[in-house]
Amino acid sequence: SEALKIAWANIKLRALLASKVVEFYFKKVDGSIRQAFGTLKADRVPEVQGTRKTAENCQVYFDTEKSEWRCFKKCNLVKIG
């Protein structure tokens, strides 16, 4: 049931990222928790040059604080802001 909760949280996060800047938290590889502010809203992200393949288990987002593309493993999502 825990995996199902995380899956639904990721679906919710993806929908929110498409419409606005979202505050969310995920566990980094070193075990620490990272607070992120990201979006996928077209008017907030830079134009993408070419395409890049990402793993199915990773969530890509545009970090609005660092102004860079970032990603994290979907299973490491802790909380949506």
Side-chain angles (χ1 to χ4, degrees), residues 52-69:
R52 187 169 177 184
K53 181 77 173 160
T54 56
E56 283 289 318
N57 65 341
C58 288
Q59 174 61 58
V60 176
Y61 67 97
F62 186 75
D63 189 320
T64 56
E65 292 183 312
K66 303 276 187 180
S67 295
E68 294 180 349
W69 289 99

Side-chain angles (χ1 to χ4, degrees), residues 1 3 8 11 14 18 24 26 29 32 39 51 55 59 74 77:
S1 72
W8 278 111
I11 290 168
R14 178 85 179 181
F24 58 96
F26 63 91
V29 175
S32 62
T39 190
T51 60
Q59 174 61 58
K74 291 178 181 179
L77 180 62

Side-chain angles (χ1 to χ4, degrees), residues 10-27:
N10 276 288
I11 290 168
K12 181 179 176 183
L13 176 63
R14 178 85 179 181
L16 289 171
L17 286 171
S19 63
K20 63 182 182 176
V21 175
V22 183
E23 175 187 13
F24 58 96
Y25 300 83
F26 63 91
K27 190 184 311 180

